[in-house]
Amino acid sequence: MFIKATLNRFDQGDHSHIFGIAMDVSDRWVIQNILRRSEERTRATLLALPDLVFRVNREGIYLDFMASPQNGNLVDPDNALGKHLSEALPSGTSQHHLGQKLEAIHQALETQTVQCYEQVVCLGGEQRYEEVRVAPCGRDEVVFFIRDISGRKRTERELIRSRDLREAIFNESTDALFLVDPQTQRTIDCNQRAVDLFEASAKHQLVNIAGHRLQVKPFTEAELQEIYAIIDRRQVWSQEIEYRTFTGKTFWGNLATRLIVVAGQRLKLVRVTDISDRKQVERALQQTNQELARATRMKDEFLANMSHELRTPLNAVLGMAEGLQDEVFGPLNERQQKALRTIINSGDHLLELINDILDLAKIEAGQMTLDPTPVAVSYLCSSSLPFVQTQAQEKGLVLKVQVSDHLPDVLVDERRLRQVLINLLNNAVKFTPSGGIVTLSAHFLDAPITGDPAWLRITVSDTGIGIAPADLDKLFKPFVQIESALNRQYSGTGLGLALVQRMVDLHGGRVQVNSEVGVGSQFSVDLPAHAFSPLPAPVSIVQPPPSSGPLVHRADASKPLLLLVDDNEANRLTLSSYLGAKGYRLEMAKTGREAVSMAQRHHPDVILMDIQMPDMDGLEAAQQIRADPTLASTKIVALTALAMPEDRDQCLTLGIDAYLSKPVKLKALAATVRTILNNQVLSP
């Protein structure tokens, strides 16, 4: 029980009296305590809110600030109490803000409902978005709740921007985009690019149709099921497809599709990219490649024909000159011998040019392969000098050889590397004036500390006209000769150094050049050096060296019979004159058919067969001869101007016993016939 006691004093005459009043206030205390606690809870609740909370009366006077967050307010609570809204708001606040507040107060009190609106205020130089709620509190007061909603506004703006961006990407994409229902496989939406690409009149032509029906060759049901399975696994499926537009035109598109989720709905996003231009380029490129392949075939045919057409007359020239030089047709005087040497040297030079052109073509076509064998460096160098010795002597040049002692053998293609050295020596002799010096040297470079293998360096140096620095880049380009007053007088194809570089490249080596105009040049060939290592030699038939062995006659002691088959009269005359002078009987045929007939009639000991002939080539004639049991063991020697490696391989595959390319050296031909007649095995 709570009692409230009151004591009072009063005087009566000389006496003072005190009286008291006692009142039971238990109920009132309980009510006050409840109100106090309710007010504390309300205050705690208001303080926990992130809002600015204050009371304002009907006239717009600030009565109380019930909650004030620490993140900044438009008004100062301590200075605003008792002031009108217009006085408390900072100077510069727009009349719009004041008008909104006063109007909200009026509406809340008149309707007794909560009024809501949003406002933008400037705090610290930055804009802040606020949500304002005005709640009536009795008939003459309202409570303002002001909350910072800047974060929410930013999120809303980002969502709107993201949605707009998605819509922009969808609608402004340069690809045709479709949204397809995975269940019905029907289009539910598409962008404007799809309408344009498929030349539709409007979207409705593309919506609600199966997209694959627009393909020139629609998918089969099995293909569709396979595609759907790939998409269901959330994998991207893509393929290049030819489409037909609504106007009947066709174009190529790259179709790509995948499964996406939009607002909880599973959809297929289908993209069609127009690749017609790329396809056109690919077709043009394919056509160009076909034309290049055709041009390559034509070039190969041209080279083969050129080889045949050039070697055939050259065969007669060199063969007849060789026969004359051997005095097969009678004795010659010194002047005639000198003239013959000129003819033979010129013919050999022409043959070298033909071989250079063919070799370069084979290298560039990737058809040249190396035949590496262990070779002594000293022998390689010394065997290259005779090819330039005559020219050097005629010009009064000094030839020097400087090869280091005890060099081990190296594993190289002897013939090709000798061709490299001869080319370099020819150039050195060619461009060195009378009285100069040409030096051929060989030594190993010191191996670096890293332990890399040693390199063999073979150098050809001269005291010739030299090369200007600006011309060094032209040296190794095919068919290019350096133009200068010093060397215009010299002839050539410009193939020598191009061949040198390519053949050295095939060996895994490198070519270096140092030169100074008027002083001389130095060409160095660096090759990776390998210690001697025996390798199995490739099996092939080569021209045998001249043999002085005795000729074995048949049992009846008659002269051996040779059948000479060649469609060129000059070649028949040259070869028959020489071989007849060597003691052979000869029969001659002009065509392949005639060769088969004469072989069956005369049964020759050896057939000398030209390969390229008009009515029946030599290979077919050889096959028919081999098919006759009585001629199965007859020896056949191919004499042909077709000098490509594949030509020789084809001949040997058909069982031809020997292969000699034109122009044929008559002594080598005679040695081949002699070896065959002696039943000797030709050197592999």
Side-chain angles (χ1 to χ4, degrees), residues 127-145:
Q127 282 188 336
R128 186 168 77 177
Y129 290 84
E130 295 179 336
E131 181 186 68
V132 181
R133 291 177 175 268
V134 184
C137 182
R139 305 303 303 179
D140 295 314
E141 297 179 0
V142 295
V143 178
F144 275 80
F145 296 84

Side-chain angles (χ1 to χ4, degrees), residues 164-220:
D164 292 343
L165 181 61
R166 289 196 300 270
E167 291 179 356
I169 291 173
F170 186 79
N171 292 318
E172 302 300 327
S173 173
T174 57
D175 296 333
L177 299 178
F178 300 85
L179 291 177
V180 179
D181 185 344
Q183 301 299 323
T184 64
Q185 304 304 325
R186 298 281 176 172
T187 300
I188 61 176
D189 195 10
C190 66
N191 63 357
Q192 185 59 40
R193 174 57 178 158
V195 175
D196 297 338
L197 184 59
F198 286 91
E199 297 182 322
S201 59
K203 272 190 180 184
H204 67 80
Q205 273 193 289
L206 290 170
V207 173
N208 205 34
I209 68 169
H212 64 271
R213 298 301 178 193
L214 296 171
Q215 297 167 201
V216 172
K217 181 184 176 183
F219 291 125
T220 64

